Amino acid sequence: MFLETSGLEGAEGERLWRPLHLAIIHGQTSVIEQIAHVIYHAPNLGVVNLTNHLHQTPLHLAVITGQTSVVSFLLQVGADPALLDRHGDSAVHLALRARASAPDVLRTLLRSGVPSMPQLLHLPDFEGLYPVHLAVRARSPECLDLLVDNGAEVEAAERQGGRTALHLATEMEELGLVTHLVTKLRANVNARTFAGNTPLHLAAGLGSPTLTRLLLKAGPEMPLEDTVLQNLEHLLDGPGAQGSWAELAERLGLRSLVDTYRKTASPSGSLLRSYKLAGGDLAGLLDALSDMGLEEGVRLLRGPETREKLPSTAEVKEDSAYGSQSVEQEAEKLGPPPEPPGGLCHGHPQPQVH
């Protein structure tokens, strides 16, 4: 890859950028301090934003290796956190991939006061993932809080399938993150992917009773008048129903939740609420009851209290940038910079270079 020298002439640029990159990779404190002294006193040389053959700047490497003091100094002397490496990652993206050091490095970046930093919270990487998605992948509630507190949108939809952070946490079956997202960050449990799936759809497709119950509890109640809802529950749960609620669940595309419903006080009530949360519409519920011959249930729903429509479709679909497919069908088939301090960084972190 062409070496960006930012005004430096051939051999001179080579002499300056190689030691800095290598010193950061290998955590060589004394070398970093010497070069930092040059950068501080001669910022016009442009060394701070030079890239290596992987299009990584010194800041990228300091972030990857978790050297927060080096990150802080580089930002003070003009390092640009918006520059992307060959994978489309900015310094923020790389910080969220830094595993154990992710919160500390991310906090250092966010507190730097660099004008471009807020924009980076809304910038996707080449996979279409936003920082909030990478925080979920890092399994870090702390990073999620840092991002949202600094203006990141918790409902940001990744560009390939339209998943939010809550969708992704559900797919990963990360109960702690799902709980954190819905209780503290107030993530929308009704958010839909490009295929129309809510997080409940995904939990159902995974066959996870725990996640399903959590998402059901977080969702809104079905907009039926209490008496109508109770009568419909009694009709479906009654002695003569002979498991009609289970048949209804299958007709509504929620078969994978039947075992979960059985453990609740009112299986049909749980079914109706999850159908609403999953995006079911009134017409679909009426058709299913009619096909089952439950005309009394149809009459209940056609009363004046139930004219308000529900959102459409309860079918669980496989998310894709190019379409969707039923999951069950598929299963079946800062100030002026200070002088560089002594002991700028310590230890010898292992490099994680792309």
Side-chain angles (χ1 to χ4, degrees):
M1 179 179 293
F2 175 72
L3 174 65
E4 296 180 2
T5 58
S6 301
L8 294 175
E9 298 296 332
E12 183 182 0
E14 178 79 4
R15 283 197 305 273
L16 287 171
W17 78 259
R18 282 186 61 83
L20 179 57
H21 284 75
L22 294 174
I24 293 173
I25 290 173
H26 296 291
Q28 296 175 332
T29 305
S30 60
V31 177
I32 294 174
E33 290 176 350
Q34 292 173 21
I35 301 177
H37 185 79
V38 174
I39 293 174
Y40 177 68
H41 288 286
N44 59 302
L45 292 179
V47 178
V48 72
N49 285 316
L50 293 179
T51 58
N52 63 12
H53 67 291
L54 298 178
H55 215 67
Q56 295 167 321
T57 66
L59 178 61
H60 289 151
L61 297 176
V63 167
I64 291 170
T65 54
Q67 300 179 67
T68 55
S69 57
V70 179
V71 169
S72 180
F73 176 75
L74 290 174
L75 289 169
Q76 291 177 38
V77 295
D80 185 354
L83 294 177
L84 306 181
D85 67 10
R86 64 172 181 166
H87 298 293
D89 287 336
S90 71
V92 170
H93 295 128
L94 292 172
L96 291 163
R97 301 184 194 276
R99 299 183 184 179
S101 63
D104 291 336
V105 177
L106 180 62
R107 188 177 292 107
T108 299
L109 289 169
L110 294 175
R111 290 178 177 175
S112 67
V114 175
S116 63
M117 194 61 64
Q119 301 172 6
L120 299 183
L121 304 186
H122 306 282
L123 178 71
D125 64 11
F126 285 176
E127 293 181 65
L129 297 173
Y130 289 86
V132 290
H133 298 102
L134 297 179
V136 171
R137 280 193 173 180
R139 294 175 169 83
S140 176
E142 186 176 357
C143 285
L144 276 170
D145 288 346
L146 285 169
L147 291 169
V148 173
D149 289 346
N150 282 274
E153 177 53 61
V154 73
E155 304 300 337
E158 51 88 16
R159 294 188 172 185
Q160 291 191 27
R163 296 169 300 172
T164 65
L166 183 56
H167 283 105
L168 189 57
T170 302
E171 282 185 351
M172 294 168 60
E173 298 188 70
E174 284 289 332
L175 181 61
L177 282 176
V178 171
T179 302
H180 188 80
L181 282 161
V182 298
T183 58
K184 182 175 182 180
L185 299 182
R186 303 298 179 187
N188 181 14
V189 297
N190 291 315
R192 291 175 174 274
T193 64
F194 295 156
N197 291 328
T198 66
L200 180 62
H201 277 111
L202 303 182
L206 291 168
S208 174
T210 304
L211 282 173
T212 298
R213 281 193 288 269
L214 173 62
L215 292 169
L216 284 173
K217 185 177 180 180
E221 295 294 323
M222 192 171 183
L224 290 173
E225 198 271 335
D226 287 343
T227 302
V228 175
L229 179 59
Q230 291 173 4
N231 289 339
L232 188 55
E233 288 181 16
H234 290 324
L235 176 65
L236 294 170
D237 289 341
Q242 298 180 344
S244 57
W245 66 267
E247 180 183 349
L248 180 60
E250 179 151 359
R251 290 178 180 272
L252 294 177
L254 296 172
R255 178 181 59 190
S256 56
L257 291 172
V258 168
D259 288 340
T260 300
Y261 300 145
R262 292 187 196 281
K263 300 174 184 178
T264 64
S266 172
S268 64
S270 299
L271 168 62
L272 294 172
R273 284 189 291 273
S274 63
Y275 178 67
K276 159 64 177 71
L277 184 59
D281 63 4
L282 184 59
L285 183 55
L286 286 169
D287 288 345
L289 291 171
S290 179
D291 291 343
M292 293 169 61
L294 296 176
E295 295 303 325
E296 184 178 350
V298 172
R299 286 193 295 272
L300 285 170
L301 288 178
R302 282 179 174 165
E305 305 92 341
T306 61
R307 296 302 182 189
E308 183 179 354
K309 291 188 177 182
L310 306 177
S312 60
T313 188
E315 186 179 12
V316 182
K317 298 181 182 293
E318 180 181 0
D319 294 306
S320 167
Y322 305 101
S324 61
Q325 184 175 5
S326 168
V327 169
E328 292 191 350
Q329 289 174 352
E330 179 64 19
E332 291 169 356
K333 47 171 214 188
L334 315 162
E339 194 75 25
L344 187 61
C345 57
H346 301 281
H348 299 274
Q350 293 299 315
Q352 300 177 33
V353 183
H354 294 301

